[in-house]
């Protein structure tokens, strides 16, 4: 059997070998999911709800184990990894309320009764990226299972360990064999088979826009629904009337969290020209104080990049760039990169392309209209922040910026109880929120004739 080696990004040392599934093995997992889904969907809604709550309790009992795995495999700081493991349990608990609330409609019609039902798709294929392996997986599998589907999940080759363990914990919690299948391997084999297999009736993909485009094209050929959460080049807009100290103190967390390997990263800071110099003065000590180091250290705020090749890609964005200042990072083994602030023009590559690393471009703007225009000067539209004390301006700018998720006087992006997703090249469809389980169902309309004639 073919295998691949998992590397600890903080040490650059191998830690585990994982099986690389073939097409036949992927098909076998899908077949098991088909069988399991039929029984799962026939359960009373309360039984599915109880099973998801049991899964959540088992995850809660293994938070530290999952967190340590993520530190080892992904280089996430231990504090972040604990939050991520807890988040999985919270998402499961939240969507455990969905099975009993997937009610249809009664629609008035002449001559009879018209009702709708939410029917599960059957098997859902979920393709997870390497940057947030646990959390992003849960955003797909929890509502999909709640809606009565089975799930086949493909983690990224770089970071499969927590997904594998979650699959084991699902069985420990009592979920049926085959209902939640974790299939490790390459995207070109496993992920592509999710797209082409006729029994996988919906695909959820999180990753790059270029690969997402191919996934969408493949699903279109199969007339298969798809949810895409893709790249970002989000703007952090700072107006002159903002609390500049708070905005500058918040900015490192907005872009350097997870070493900038975050599609929601506010990787462009747009600052009103009249306070541009002052903001940079405040930003520099905040960046230099950002703690980069051993992910197992409780004080660490940022770990390494995921791989040597990705570090080279991030470094390439600094060629010819006007670096204003940098933070610090370890110099030993591992894929370390210091937080970096670059002064940029709108046409610069670093102001237009997704770096996916701890690099932020700072650009000035003249007025409100200019801020909106500059924020929208990108193919992406995932997230963003607006810093102002003027409520009217906050509303106007949030309506004007073409992004799916925005925050005012904050860089908070994701809550499992509110919708999440992008516009333009940042995605298609919405995840999370109270209606997410419905996104994993098809609406069936049934007319009952009551006219005696």
């Amino acid at each position: 059997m073919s295998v691949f080696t998992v590397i600890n990004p903080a040490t650059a040392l191998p830690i585990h070998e994982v099986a690389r599934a073939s097409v036949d093995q992927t098909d076998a997992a899908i077949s098991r999911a088909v069988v399991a889904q039929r029984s799962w969907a026939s359960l009373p809604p309360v039984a599915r709800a109880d099973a998801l709550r049991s899964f959540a309790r088992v995850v809660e009992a293994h938070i530290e184990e999952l967190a340590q795995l993520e530190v080892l495999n992904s280089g996430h700081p231990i504090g972040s990894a604990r939050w991520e493991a807890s988040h999985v349990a919270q998402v499961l608990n939240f969507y455990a309320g969905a099975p009993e609330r997937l009610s249809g409609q009664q629609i008035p019609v002449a001559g009879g009764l018209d009702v709708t039902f939410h029917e599960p798709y059957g098997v859902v294929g979920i393709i997870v990226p390497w940057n947030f392996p646990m959390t992003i997986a849960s955003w797909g599998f929890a509502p999909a299972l709640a809606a009565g589907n089975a799930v086949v999940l493909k983690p990224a080759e770089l970071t499969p360990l927590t997904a594998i363990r979650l699959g084991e914990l699902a069985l420990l919690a009592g979920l049926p064999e085959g209902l939640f299948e974790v299939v490790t391997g390459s995207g070109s084999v496993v992920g592509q088979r999710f797209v082409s297999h006729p029994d996988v009736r919906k695909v959820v993909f999180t990753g790059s826009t270029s690969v997402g485009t191919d996934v969408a094209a493949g699903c279109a050929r199969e007339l298969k629904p798809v949810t895409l959460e893709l790249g970002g080049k989000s703007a952090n807009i700072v107006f002159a009337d903002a609390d500049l100290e708070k905005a500058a103190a918040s900015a490192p967390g907005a872009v350097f969290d997870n070493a900038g390997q975050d599609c929601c990263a506010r990787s462009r800071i747009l600052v009103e020209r009249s306070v541009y110099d002052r903001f940079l003065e405040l930003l520099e000590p905040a960046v230099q104080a950002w703690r980069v180091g051993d992910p197992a250290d409780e004080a660490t705020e940022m770990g390494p990049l995921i791989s040597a090749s990705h570090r080279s890609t991030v470094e390439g964005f600094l060629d010819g760039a006007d670096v204003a200042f940098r933070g610090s990072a370890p110099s030993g083994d591992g894929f370390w990169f210091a937080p970096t602030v670059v002064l940029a023009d709108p046409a610069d590559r670093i102001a237009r392309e997704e770096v996916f690393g701890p690099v932020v471009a700072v650009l000035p703007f003249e007025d409100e209209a200019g801020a909106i225009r500059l924020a929208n000067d990108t193919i992406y539209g995932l997230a963003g922040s607006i810093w102002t004390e003027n409520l009217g301006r906050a509303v106007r700018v949030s309506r004007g910026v073409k992004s799916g998720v925005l925050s005012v006087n904050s860089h908070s992006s994701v809550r499992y109880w509110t919708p999440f997703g992008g516009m333009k090249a940042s995605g298609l469809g919405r995840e999370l929120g109270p209606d997410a389980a419905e996104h994993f169902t098809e609406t069936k309309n049934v007319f009952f004739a009551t006219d005696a004639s």
Side-chain angles (χ1 to χ4, degrees), residues 45-46 48-49 53 96-103 146:
V46 67
R48 294 204 305 272
R53 291 190 184 98
E100 296 169 281
R101 292 170 176 80
L102 279 172
S103 54

Side-chain angles (χ1 to χ4, degrees), residues 95-188:
Y95 289 109
E100 296 169 281
R101 292 170 176 80
L102 279 172
S103 54
Q105 293 179 296
Q106 184 269 314
I107 303 171
V109 293
L113 172 70
D114 200 276
V115 296
T116 64
F117 300 91
H118 290 294
E119 303 288 2
Y121 280 109
V123 176
V124 175
I126 300 175
I127 303 170
V128 180
W130 50 258
N131 59 331
F132 290 105
M134 283 191 286
T135 54
I136 292 177
S138 71
W139 300 350
F141 70 67
L145 292 170
N149 300 283
V151 166
V152 284
L153 185 145
K154 191 203 89 65
E157 284 186 90
L158 291 170
T159 57
L161 299 188
T162 49
I164 293 169
R165 187 58 179 143
L166 284 170
E168 295 168 349
L169 294 180
L171 293 174
L172 184 62
L175 266 65
E177 291 270 359
L179 185 69
F180 180 30
E181 291 277 328
V182 177
V183 185
T184 55
S186 66
S188 60

Side-chain angles (χ1 to χ4, degrees), residues 247-265:
S250 173
V255 67
F256 302 143
D257 182 58
N258 198 27
Q261 300 166 135
D262 181 356
C263 50
C264 290

Side-chain angles (χ1 to χ4, degrees), residues 19 30 51 63 81 84 87 93 125 258 303 305 338 365 372 394 430 434 450:
I30 294 169
I63 282 174
E84 291 158 19
H87 183 85
N93 273 321
N258 198 27
L305 293 172
F365 65 85
I372 295 172
R430 288 292 179 272
T450 59

Side-chain angles (χ1 to χ4, degrees), residues 2 29 51 90 118 155 170 182 226 278 280 287 309 334 377 397 435 452:
S2 175
Q90 291 164 359
H118 290 294
V182 177
V226 60
R278 176 58 180 157
L280 286 171
V287 170
S309 62
D377 186 23
V397 176
D435 300 326

